[in-house]
Amino acid sequence: MKRILIAACCVIGILSASAQTQDKKWAIGLHGGVSQYNGDLGNDFYKTNGTYYGFGGLSLSRYLGGNFDVNLLATKGTMGYRSNIGNFKNDFTSALLNFRFNILGPNSPVRPYLMVGGGAILFDKNLDVKDEKVDFIAPSFGGGINFKLGPSLMLNVQEVFMYSTEDDRDGVVADRNDAYLLHTVGLAFNFGKKKDADNDGVADRLDKCANTPTNTMVDKKGCPLDKDADGVPDYLDNCPDVAGTELLKGCPDKDGDGIADQDDRCPEVAGTSALRGCPDADADGVADIDDKCPGTTAGFKVDTTGCTLDNDKDGVVNEEDACPDLAGVLALKGCPDKDGDGVADNEDRCPDVAGTIANKGCPEVSTEDKTKITQIASKLFFENNSAKLKTASLNQLDELIVLLKKYETANLTIEGYTDDKGSDEFNLALSQKRTESVKNYLVQKEVAESRLKSTGMGEANPVADNKTAAGRARNRRVELQLTY
């Protein structure tokens, strides 16, 4: 008998190498129910006024295929019968191995099944396995229904018929063997590890997209959801409810400018990315929808409204304004002209005094004054072979100072000359000293030194013949000239 039980365990081990569901191949159950008898003493099957005895049991199931599994059911309880012609009552332990055919597939919430198999019953309270206490069940058969209560939990209702190979457990040996009926109800728990490499809830065997990123919503085939059917899965789709393009991460682009409509300020008109999808007809860097000066000349700098910059607000745009930070006049390219002489201040040597364009904004020295300066120069005399001014020359210089104040923006050039008597070096040095004497006198009278330039010319540029005394006298001279 022990060899038979060992063999039965080996069969279960072999079957377990197959597969409860494809993902969870095993199920363990807890069962309870009542037993009924049919034999020489009578028949209690399905009689509500018959004899009932309780039992409990455990089951272990292994998935074999889409509609098949094998089930090992072990029960322990009491079995018996009471009647006018005889009674019997025995404690029993049974082990049944049944092959089950599931009428509906693994995904059905209700799975009815039929089963057939065999096993053994030990009629002994203490599980003392001896041949005379063991009856074989050949066959066992029946059916039941599994109700899915959750992903791994089922409610099981089952009827098991057991036909015994013996005929003496009821105390009567007659013309038919004993049979028993088990009415059971229980709970079965599926277990086993589902192979799901990308952890998306869809088993690898069913997963058409086996590398889906973690926490991504998938369909029944394990592929990322794509609600708008644009070929971009929702987890990568920035616009999951509107069909778009892969290039724009699933977002639409009606004007085809490469900028998604949701980011495009001008979704109906093609534009540039720099202007967030808006066009710029005058190419001034300001979108047409913001441009208050849409005809701006290309290349000109503009403000935020698209109008050409005019920093000083003088009506001359910066690109054409020679003085963009100072308000000026159009005629002078935007530069100011304080003295109104037609010469821009930035080019006017005399910006505070009206002058002439030819004289770069400075007033012309009158002919009368030019003559007077020439006369003053002709009356400047020095001590013999000396740079010291004669007293009479000082009065002439005072008159020169009056003219310098009149033309206060003009500069004075002082040039000194000698005759040819003496060496060239001596004459050059003497002429330089004499011009400096004139310059120093003027500076002492508060004429700005920066306005004065003194140069000794020596014997150069004679105006008369040095062979005569009169000619040499004319060559010993100082020349004065007002310049700007």
Side-chain angles (χ1 to χ4, degrees):
M1 180 62 196
K2 292 180 180 179
R3 288 195 298 271
I4 295 173
L5 293 177
I6 292 172
C9 292
C10 290
V11 171
I12 295 298
I14 293 170
L15 290 173
S16 68
S18 304
Q20 195 59 23
T21 65
Q22 181 72 11
D23 298 317
K24 295 187 176 183
K25 300 178 181 180
W26 292 95
I28 187 169
L30 300 174
H31 305 272
V34 295
S35 63
Q36 289 186 309
Y37 160 82
N38 183 2
D40 297 319
L41 296 178
N43 180 11
D44 264 352
F45 284 7
Y46 296 109
K47 293 182 179 179
T48 58
N49 60 351
T51 304
Y52 291 93
Y53 292 100
F55 68 88
L58 293 172
S59 68
L60 181 65
S61 300
R62 171 75 178 191
Y63 175 85
L64 296 178
N67 295 89
F68 294 93
D69 59 51
V70 61
N71 176 265
L72 176 64
L73 175 64
T75 58
K76 184 173 179 60
T78 303
M79 194 174 289
Y81 184 76
R82 294 189 299 272
S83 72
N84 294 331
I85 62 173
N87 301 307
F88 85 94
K89 180 180 179 182
N90 283 321
D91 291 324
F92 78 94
T93 301
S94 70
L96 302 176
L97 182 63
N98 291 303
F99 292 92
R100 299 194 303 195
F101 169 68
N102 295 281
I103 298 172
L104 301 178
N107 295 323
S108 176
V110 179
R111 299 189 74 195
Y113 60 86
L114 301 174
M115 63 184 182
V116 63
I121 299 180
L122 171 64
F123 288 94
D124 182 79
K125 183 176 182 178
N126 298 316
L127 300 181
D128 183 11
V129 181
K130 295 181 179 179
D131 289 347
E132 64 271 17
K133 296 182 179 181
V134 176
D135 288 355
F136 294 102
I137 302 300
S140 64
F141 58 92
I145 302 177
N146 281 317
F147 299 91
K148 186 179 291 187
L149 302 181
S152 301
L153 179 63
M154 294 179 294
L155 172 66
N156 176 255
V157 178
Q158 181 173 268
E159 297 281 281
V160 182
F161 295 89
M162 300 186 296
Y163 186 77
S164 175
T165 59
E166 302 295 333
D167 186 31
D168 59 352
R169 295 304 172 188
D170 55 5
V172 178
V173 177
D175 58 349
R176 58 178 178 170
N177 292 357
D178 299 331
Y180 312 98
L181 174 60
L182 302 182
H183 306 278
T184 70
V185 65
L187 293 174
F189 304 87
N190 292 341
F191 64 95
K193 187 175 181 180
K194 176 170 60 177
K195 292 183 179 180
D196 181 12
D198 56 8
N199 296 313
D200 61 0
V202 179
D204 290 347
R205 65 186 178 86
L206 301 174
D207 201 330
K208 302 299 183 182
C209 303
N211 297 316
T212 304
T214 304
N215 298 324
T216 299
M217 297 293 292
V218 298
D219 57 23
K220 293 180 180 179
K221 295 181 179 181
C223 291
L225 293 179
D226 180 13
K227 289 185 291 186
D228 54 17
D230 59 1
V232 182
D234 289 351
Y235 79 96
L236 296 174
D237 199 329
N238 288 344
C239 305
D241 298 315
V242 184
T245 66
E246 184 177 358
L247 183 63
L248 295 176
K249 296 183 178 180
C251 290
D253 176 19
K254 287 186 289 187
D255 56 17
D257 58 4
I259 301 168
D261 290 346
Q262 64 177 8
D263 300 319
D264 198 328
R265 290 187 65 207
C266 305
E268 306 291 341
V269 184
T272 65
S273 58
L275 297 177
R276 293 177 56 193
C278 289
D280 176 16
D282 56 11
D284 60 1
V286 179
D288 291 347
I289 61 172
D290 299 323
D291 202 330
K292 294 182 179 179
C293 302
T296 302
T297 303
F300 280 17
K301 294 181 180 179
V302 297
D303 57 22
T304 56
T305 67
C307 294
T308 308
L309 289 176
D310 178 13
N311 291 355
D312 52 19
K313 309 300 182 185
D314 60 1
V316 183
V317 298
N318 287 358
E319 281 76 5
E320 297 175 347
D321 197 331
C323 304
D325 297 317
L326 298 172
V329 296
L330 180 62
L332 296 177
K333 295 184 178 180
C335 288
D337 178 16
K338 290 187 291 183
D339 55 17
D341 58 6
V343 180
D345 290 347
N346 63 331
E347 296 179 351
D348 196 331
R349 293 185 180 181
C350 306
D352 297 314
V353 180
T356 65
I357 295 176
N359 210 32
K360 297 183 179 179
C362 289
E364 291 283 356
V365 179
S366 68
T367 302
E368 180 181 352
D369 289 335
K370 287 180 180 179
T371 301
K372 190 170 185 179
I373 292 172
T374 301
Q375 290 174 350
I376 292 172
S378 66
K379 296 178 181 180
L380 296 180
F381 302 104
F382 300 90
E383 298 292 341
N384 191 37
N385 291 329
S386 171
K388 183 178 179 182
L389 286 163
K390 290 186 176 183
T391 302
S393 298
L394 301 181
N395 293 331
Q396 297 299 317
L397 291 179
D398 289 340
E399 292 184 17
L400 178 61
I401 291 171
V402 173
L403 292 174
L404 289 174
K405 289 182 179 180
K406 180 179 179 180
Y407 300 100
E408 59 181 9
T409 58
N411 297 322
L412 178 68
T413 300
I414 308 168
E415 294 181 348
Y417 298 88
T418 67
D419 57 25
D420 62 354
K421 296 298 183 180
S423 67
D424 292 343
E425 294 79 7
F426 175 80
N427 287 332
L428 184 63
L430 179 61
S431 64
Q432 181 65 40
K433 290 178 181 179
R434 285 178 172 176
T435 59
E436 290 178 357
S437 293
V438 174
K439 176 181 176 181
N440 292 337
Y441 182 84
L442 297 176
V443 171
Q444 290 174 8
K445 293 295 183 175
E446 299 183 352
V447 176
E449 186 175 0
S450 60
R451 296 178 62 192
L452 305 174
K453 179 181 179 182
S454 60
T455 306
M457 306 297 290
E459 301 175 14
N461 304 326
V463 295
D465 190 351
N466 280 312
K467 292 180 180 181
T468 64
R472 289 192 294 273
R474 288 184 61 192
N475 288 335
R476 296 191 296 270
R477 69 192 187 279
V478 171
E479 293 183 358
L480 301 175
Q481 184 178 5
L482 284 179
T483 62
Y484 288 99

